[in-house]
Amino acid sequence: MTTPSSITVTVPGSTMLLGEHAVLYGYPAVVCAVDQYVTLTLSPRDDRKIQIHSTTLGEYETNLDALVIQKPFQFILASIMQWKDKLERGFDLEIASEFSDQIGLGSSAAVTVATLAAIQQWLASGFDWEKLHQAGIEVIRQVQGLGSGGDILASIYGGIIYYRADSLKFDRFKTKLPIHLIYSGYKTPTVEVVKKVEKTAHAYPKIFSKLFLAMGECVEAGKKAIQDENWSQLGEIFNMHQGLQEALGVNDKNLHDIISQTRAFNTVLGSKISGAGLGDCILALGDLPQHCFPKDESQRKQGVKQIPISVSMKGVVLKN
Ligand code: MEV
């Protein structure tokens, strides 16, 4: 039997634009792929071993007959398990990421999509996009217990995506948005923040149902602004949405300061938390000169950084 040659895929990271949290309560959201990539090479083996070498996660070795989901490789191992019944031989995975898994650029989703796509390409000789989407969401929900799957969609298809968590349907826009990310220097795990919001939502059901509804309205208005490429309107919507994120209890002093500092530039049209909140990244729309952050010594010590990004039109790409 000849050993098939290696398969290499590149997959973009992602960032949420609008609809965080509310998307987990039945409302739509908008996510976009960013031009920071995970590259994964799968090299088939003649035995049943699986060897993983990741630039961010380290080394791991296992066997097809001894697969268990183990940190920090949980998303990769859960993705391999999706194909367990069809795998007759092992393989090596070489994974290189342009971004840290500590920064909320959807690294778990990107590595999940990369693993699933490479195995699918190897065993099925091509991509089945819907199957990839479904399997990706299953992995995220199996490992985290929750997740809207927006990061999976963005990593698969690229561009800007309007979606709902309970549907495989979505709308994709190929618009180039002028966005900037500022990392706050720390991240509270998404699941922890989601549980906190859930707890407050249980305590104040009437108020939170209205907050989520208003976030859904921001998403619909934001989608229209993106379609019209009306960035000043989208900036206003970002600011309104941020007000609602604040009301959910996911803002903190550091994020508040960074948001105010970005808004002090008259070229910035709007800014908000991107993702779950209580740390992670601030998203600013418009023009922000390079190297504005960290603003001072205390932000430098905290690990605040400006991350140069733009929307990636590419999703999963098979190399060579
Ligand atoms: C996290 O980036 C966004 C949340 O809405 C969770 C999710 O969509 O899976 C908080």
Side-chain angles (χ1 to χ4, degrees):
M1 191 187 356
T2 55
T3 307
S5 49
S6 301
I7 290 155
T8 298
V9 290
T10 60
V11 172
S14 62
T15 194
M16 287 288 282
L17 299 183
L18 290 163
E20 295 93 335
H21 294 286
V23 71
L24 300 172
Y25 294 81
Y27 292 97
V30 184
V31 64
C32 81
V34 296
D35 60 349
Q36 303 258 330
Y37 299 92
V38 168
T39 300
L40 178 145
T41 300
L42 181 152
S43 307
R45 301 174 60 97
D46 287 327
D47 56 21
R48 293 177 66 80
K49 262 193 207 165
I50 293 173
Q51 282 186 336
I52 303 169
H53 173 78
S54 157
T55 52
T56 47
L57 305 174
E59 317 274 337
Y60 185 73
E61 186 176 314
T62 184
N63 189 292
L64 275 180
D65 309 304
L67 277 179
V68 276
I69 297 180
Q70 221 163 359
K71 282 185 179 173
F73 301 93
Q74 63 272 38
F75 292 97
I76 302 167
L77 293 165
S79 302
I80 297 171
M81 276 186 169
Q82 288 275 327
W83 284 91
K84 197 170 182 287
D85 296 343
K86 299 234 160 47
L87 286 165
E88 285 167 7
R89 294 192 289 148
F91 49 86
D92 294 340
L93 291 182
E94 195 71 36
I95 306 167
S97 180
E98 288 175 8
F99 55 100
S100 153
D101 57 337
Q102 301 305 309
I103 295 179
L105 288 180
S107 67
S108 309
V111 84
T112 298
V113 169
T115 309
L116 289 168
I119 302 177
Q120 196 182 77
Q121 177 66 31
W122 177 35
L123 298 183
S125 303
F127 296 137
D128 175 335
W129 301 106
E130 203 166 288
K131 210 167 156 182
L132 197 54
H133 181 191
Q134 217 153 10
I137 289 182
E138 269 173 43
V139 169
I140 294 291
R141 292 186 183 156
Q142 179 189 6
V143 174
Q144 291 190 165
L146 56 89
S148 65
D151 43 9
I152 291 285
L153 262 174
S155 283
I156 294 174
Y157 294 101
I160 302 170
I161 294 181
Y162 166 96
Y163 73 102
R164 286 176 187 271
D166 57 358
S167 165
L168 289 181
K169 290 204 195 106
F170 58 91
D171 293 330
R172 180 168 174 267
F173 309 102
K174 284 192 168 183
T175 313
K176 272 273 173 204
L177 264 185
I179 49 169
H180 305 267
L181 275 185
I182 299 106
Y183 178 59
S184 63
Y186 55 93
K187 177 172 164 62
T188 307
T190 299
V191 174
E192 210 176 291
V193 187
V194 169
K195 298 268 184 234
K196 180 184 180 284
V197 170
E198 197 178 276
K199 201 169 158 209
T200 327
H202 277 303
Y204 301 94
K206 280 192 179 159
I207 298 173
F208 269 59
S209 65
K210 293 206 169 62
L211 291 177
F212 292 141
L213 180 72
M215 290 175 109
E217 295 293 339
C218 284
V219 172
E220 296 300 347
K223 178 187 179 192
K224 171 131 193 357
I226 291 167
Q227 282 170 318
D228 297 345
E229 301 195 11
N230 187 337
W231 305 144
S232 57
Q233 200 168 73
L234 185 62
E236 283 172 1
I237 294 163
F238 267 26
N239 291 346
M240 286 181 231
H241 193 285
Q242 172 57 26
L244 297 164
Q245 283 168 288
E246 161 104 53
L248 296 187
V250 300
N251 199 7
D252 66 19
K253 180 173 181 317
N254 296 317
L255 299 178
H256 170 88
D257 287 350
I258 298 171
I259 289 170
S260 309
Q261 286 158 353
T262 56
R263 289 182 190 168
F265 288 88
N266 56 19
T267 50
V268 168
L269 304 167
S271 56
K272 65 180 282 293
I273 294 166
S274 172
L278 296 179
D280 217 345
C281 286
I282 295 304
L283 182 67
L285 183 75
D287 286 330
L288 183 69
Q290 283 182 356
H291 313 299
C292 291
F293 291 91
K295 275 253 165 251
D296 53 32
E297 188 51 22
S298 106
Q299 280 194 348
R300 196 189 61 74
K301 277 199 187 135
Q302 196 179 287
V304 172
K305 329 191 243 238
Q306 195 166 338
I307 307 172
I309 52 147
S310 52
V311 179
S312 169
M313 294 306 158
K314 288 187 284 189
V316 176
V317 172
L318 178 67
K319 287 222 164 164
N320 57 50

